[in-house]
């Protein structure tokens, strides 16, 4: 089944899960699309089975809190940052709920975490104005770069390039093998003092970078030239909430939730809005991602919703 405007417009909430008592602050699909893992401000980690459409297990990180959780490539393991006590990143075995390794180094809260698409390395960006490169097999930082501001960062689909958005001012591209040597490209963004850059993602084809802000618009830029292709707006975000924007797996569409529980979808090429979907979320949709393998996506406020299309195109 191919994603088209009409298929996107046909998506409806198939299941809603109320496992959490507080905001879901991040979630991640497993690489094979079979599972979703979520982290919440209530210190819980919930695992969902996408095939059966139900929660499988809940784990807790009461002492350190849990934020920005990401699957690794191995089944049943994840890394996550903390939002209490310290800023160490933790590597957790989901099977026996035990820590495999700790990654200390950041001195302030981690605001970006991205797993390499190809191997066991991952990167983190922190309010301490650094981006660090890590390897799951070793607790020591493998690479470090200092920036002038808050960095959000992400890997490209090949796992060779790191993109970093700093404040709302610039996007810098780094070669993974020489992170400390500085960026090989810097794109100046149109600076807007009303909001800041809160997230950055590459499209699966590597051609575009999606920049999320805590304002009421997001930018799509050309990954090679840094030119802004489209700016998407018209969704509600009056309280400067961090809302996650995402590409569909075919890189064709861009979607974001809003504070009024609706999801807005645009065609990336034309820049035209193709759908507004009502998820009946009670709070802002802070997390939103499409399943990498199956025709479904998930959205979250303090509850988690799984969506399915209602037509075959």
């Amino acid at each position: 089944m191919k994603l088209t405007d009409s298929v996107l417009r046909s998506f409806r909430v198939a299941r809603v899960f109320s496992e959490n008592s507080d905001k879901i602050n991040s979630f991640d699909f497993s690489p094979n699309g079979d599972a979703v893992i979520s982290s919440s401000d209530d210190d819980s980690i919930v695992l969902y089975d996408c095939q059966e459409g139900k929660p499988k297990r809940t784990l807790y990180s009461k002492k350190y809190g849990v934020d920005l959780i990401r699957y690794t490539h191995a089944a049943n393991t994840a890394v996550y940052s903390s939002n209490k006590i310290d800023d160490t990143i933790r590597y957790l075995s989901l099977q026996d709920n035990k820590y495999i390794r700790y990654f200390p180094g950041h001195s302030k809260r981690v605001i970006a975490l991205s797993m390499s698409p190809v191997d066991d390395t991952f990167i983190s960006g922190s309010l301490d104005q650094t981006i660090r490169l890590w390897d799951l097999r070793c607790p020591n930082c493998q690479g470090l770069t200092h920036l002038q501001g808050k960095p959000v960062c992400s890997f490209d689909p090949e796992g060779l390039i790191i993109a970093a958005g700093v404040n709302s001012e610039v996007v810098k591209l780094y070669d993974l093998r020489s992170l400390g040597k500085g960026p090989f490209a810097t794109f100046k963004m149109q600076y807007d003092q009303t909001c800041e850059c809160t997230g950055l993602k590459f499209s699966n084809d590597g051609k575009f970078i999606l920049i999320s802000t805590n304002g009421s618009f997001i930018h799509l830029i050309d990954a090679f030239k840094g030119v802004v292709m489209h700016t998407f707006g018209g969704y509600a975000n009056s309280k400067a909430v961090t809302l996650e924007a995402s590409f569909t797996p075919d890189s064709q569409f861009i979607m974001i939730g809003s504070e009024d529980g609706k999801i807005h979808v645009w065609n990336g090429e034309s820049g035209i809005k193709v759908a507004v979907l009502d998820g009946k979320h009670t709070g802002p949709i802070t997390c939103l991602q499409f399943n990498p393998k199956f025709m479904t996506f998930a959205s979250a406020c303090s509850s988690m919703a799984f969506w399915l299309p209602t037509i075959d195109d």
Side-chain angles (χ1 to χ4, degrees), residues 32-204:
N32 62 8
D34 285 348
V36 166
I37 190 166
S38 72
S39 58
S40 166
D41 287 354
D42 63 14
D43 306 332
S44 69
I45 295 167
V46 183
L47 285 84
Y48 296 87
D49 184 316
C50 294
Q51 302 281 28
E52 294 182 24
K54 64 181 190 192
K56 239 186 349 193
R57 197 171 169 207
T58 301
L59 310 171
Y60 292 95
S61 178
K62 292 250 185 248
K63 186 176 174 184
Y64 302 105
V66 53
D67 195 11
L68 298 181
I69 198 156
R70 304 285 180 259
Y71 271 111
T72 67
H73 297 290
N76 285 328
T77 61
V79 289
Y80 69 84
S81 61
S82 314
N83 50 19
K84 292 200 277 196
I85 297 189
D86 66 15
D87 303 290
T88 298
I89 296 165
R90 292 175 167 78
Y91 179 21
L92 180 68
S93 162
L94 302 169
Q95 204 154 353
D96 41 20
N97 196 17
K98 288 198 172 76
Y99 293 121
I100 302 166
R101 196 161 283 116
Y102 303 96
F103 302 96
H106 284 300
S107 59
K108 288 187 176 168
R109 186 168 169 183
V110 173
I111 54 169
L113 196 59
S114 175
M115 194 75 209
S116 164
V118 294
D119 60 24
D120 281 343
T121 55
F122 67 96
I123 50 171
S124 54
S126 159
L127 293 178
D128 64 16
Q129 302 195 347
T130 64
I131 290 174
R132 290 175 180 261
L133 172 68
W134 309 89
D135 188 308
L136 285 175
R137 295 161 295 199
C138 169
N140 303 334
C141 170
Q142 306 291 301
L144 171 70
T145 186
H146 293 267
L147 298 114
Q148 302 295 309
K150 299 180 188 176
V152 291
C153 52
S154 184
F155 276 98
D156 82 317
E158 319 265 84
L160 299 171
I161 293 168
I162 294 169
V166 189
N167 299 339
S168 280
E169 297 160 43
V170 289
V171 173
K172 295 172 183 274
L173 301 183
Y174 296 85
D175 185 316
L176 183 65
R177 292 157 299 199
S178 52
L179 184 61
K181 287 185 183 164
F184 66 83
T186 300
F187 307 137
K188 274 203 163 21
M189 304 307 292
Q190 205 173 351
Y191 185 50
D192 186 337
Q193 289 177 322
T194 61
C195 64
E196 57 189 36
C197 176
T198 53
L200 187 143
K201 289 181 186 180
F202 276 90
S203 57
N204 278 343

Side-chain angles (χ1 to χ4, degrees), residues 23-24 27 281 283-288 298-305 307:
K23 181 186 87 171
I24 294 171
F27 68 71
H281 278 283
I285 299 176
T286 43
C287 307
L288 175 68
S299 59
C301 55
S302 57
S303 56
M304 171 79 86
W307 297 69

